[in-house]
């Protein structure tokens, strides 16, 4: 079955700097890759997604890239702000279910 | 348009009791998914249901766990004879069609604590 690896598990960046989270997946049938942000005590919230027919997508300070050949996809957050502190999950969908990475805890340092 | 609703938000049970977790999908969504999250872990798929049908239960333990999504009313995840290892956050998500085509929207979760 699908396996999603996510790195790093923890990331600390200075406010205003950029943060990059990287994921790999194993099942070439996966064609939809959502990213979720989870704040303490809350459910995951979709922040951006990308489909396999697109290499890059941007939404204000957030961008996602996808390399289908290498089975890599990444999340980029620019000009980080305190409210970006949370746990971020990448995911892949080889079928009807979402397979999540283990998450990256992002700390924005003042 | 209300989001995915789950209740209760917190549930405490003693070992051997039953836990019932409820999920009301977003309006217009007929696909429901249940996930379990252990502390400091990602979410693990448990079961995928459509109205009155279980489509994929490959992530659900074979014993003590069951799920349903009746024609009327919320989806229910039922855990019988709970054990301490069942303590986790349980999240429900919904989508209008299958996950391969549509985003899944998550509820706030039910945090189950087994004493």
């Amino acid at each position: 079955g699908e396996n999603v690896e996510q790195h790093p598990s923890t990331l600390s960046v200075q406010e205003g700097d950029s943060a990059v989270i990287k994921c790999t997946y194993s099942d070439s049938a996966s064609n939809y890759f959502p990213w979720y942000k989870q704040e303490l005590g809350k459910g995951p919230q979709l922040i951006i997604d990308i489909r396999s027919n697109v290499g890059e997508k941007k939404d204000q300070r957030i961008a996602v890239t996808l390399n289908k050949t290498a089975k890599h996809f990444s999340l980029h957050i620019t000009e980080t702000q305190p409210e970006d502190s949370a746990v971020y999950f990448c995911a892949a969908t080889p079928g009807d279910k979402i397979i999540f990475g283990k998450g990256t805890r992002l700390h924005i340092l003042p | 348009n209300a989001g995915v609703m789950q209740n209760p938000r917190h549930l405490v049970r003693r070992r051997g009791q039953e836990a019932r977790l409820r999920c009301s999908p977003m309006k217009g969504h007929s696909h429901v998914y249940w996930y379990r999250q252990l502390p400091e872990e990602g979410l693990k798929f448990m079961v995928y249901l459509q109205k009155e049908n279980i489509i994929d239960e490959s992530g659900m333990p074979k014993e003590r766990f069951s799920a349903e999504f009746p024609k009327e009313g919320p989806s229910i995840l039922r855990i019988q004879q709970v054990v301490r290892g069942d303590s986790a956050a349980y999240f429900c998500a919904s989508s209008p069609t299958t996950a391969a085509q549509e985003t899944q929207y998550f509820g706030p979760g039910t945090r189950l604590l087994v004493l």
Side-chain angles (χ1 to χ4, degrees):
Chain A
E2 176 65 278
N3 182 45
V4 177
E5 298 282 341
Q6 182 171 350
H7 300 279
S9 57
T10 305
L11 179 62
S12 296
V13 301
Q14 212 69 40
E15 182 179 347
D17 287 350
S18 295
V20 180
I21 302 170
K22 297 183 179 182
C23 290
T24 61
Y25 63 100
S26 59
D27 191 338
S28 55
S30 290
N31 57 9
Y32 175 59
F33 305 89
W35 286 86
Y36 286 87
K37 175 183 180 182
Q38 187 176 29
E39 296 174 327
L40 192 63
K42 297 184 178 180
Q45 298 295 312
L46 179 78
I47 55 171
I48 196 167
D49 56 15
I50 190 166
R51 297 184 189 274
S52 58
N53 58 345
V54 174
E56 185 173 353
K57 183 176 177 181
K58 190 173 181 181
D59 182 4
Q60 298 183 4
R61 296 187 296 109
I62 296 174
V64 59
T65 58
L66 172 64
N67 182 332
K68 280 222 77 177
T69 303
K71 298 195 183 75
H72 290 175
F73 57 117
S74 301
L75 177 73
H76 304 251
I77 306 175
T78 58
E79 300 172 19
T80 52
Q81 299 171 4
E83 54 265 35
D84 295 331
S85 292
V87 179
Y88 291 81
F89 293 97
C90 64
T93 54
D96 291 331
K97 54 184 170 246
I98 295 179
I99 307 299
F100 285 87
K102 290 197 172 182
T104 296
R105 186 173 297 278
L106 176 62
H107 299 276
I108 305 302
L109 305 173
Chain B
N1 187 12
V4 178
M5 298 175 68
Q6 290 187 247
N7 68 82
R9 294 292 308 276
H10 299 273
L11 183 60
V12 180
R13 286 287 178 265
R14 296 194 180 279
R15 280 179 296 170
Q17 291 184 320
E18 178 180 287
R20 278 187 179 234
L21 288 61
R22 295 175 190 78
C23 168
S24 296
M26 287 179 70
K27 187 177 180 181
H29 287 193
S30 57
H31 298 244
V32 166
Y33 311 81
W34 285 93
Y35 294 85
R36 177 163 63 177
Q37 185 177 36
L38 295 170
E40 305 300 316
E41 295 268 336
L43 291 90
K44 293 284 196 311
F45 168 80
M46 298 181 73
V47 61
Y48 161 39
L49 311 103
Q50 294 179 29
K51 286 281 187 182
E52 301 184 280
N53 286 304
I54 297 174
I55 307 302
D56 183 347
E57 56 183 348
S58 59
M60 200 149 72
K62 294 285 185 283
E63 296 180 355
R64 302 188 299 108
F65 285 72
S66 62
E68 62 176 9
F69 188 15
K71 188 176 180 181
E72 301 291 336
S75 175
I76 306 285
L77 178 67
R78 184 181 175 205
I79 312 173
Q80 294 178 292
Q81 300 174 339
V82 295
V83 301
R84 288 213 173 115
D86 296 332
S87 295
Y90 292 83
F91 291 95
C92 163
S94 73
S95 67
T97 59
T98 60
Q101 304 297 328
E102 291 287 342
T103 300
Q104 290 186 18
Y105 295 90
F106 283 80
T110 293
R111 280 143 188 88
L112 172 65
L113 175 63
V114 180
L115 302 176

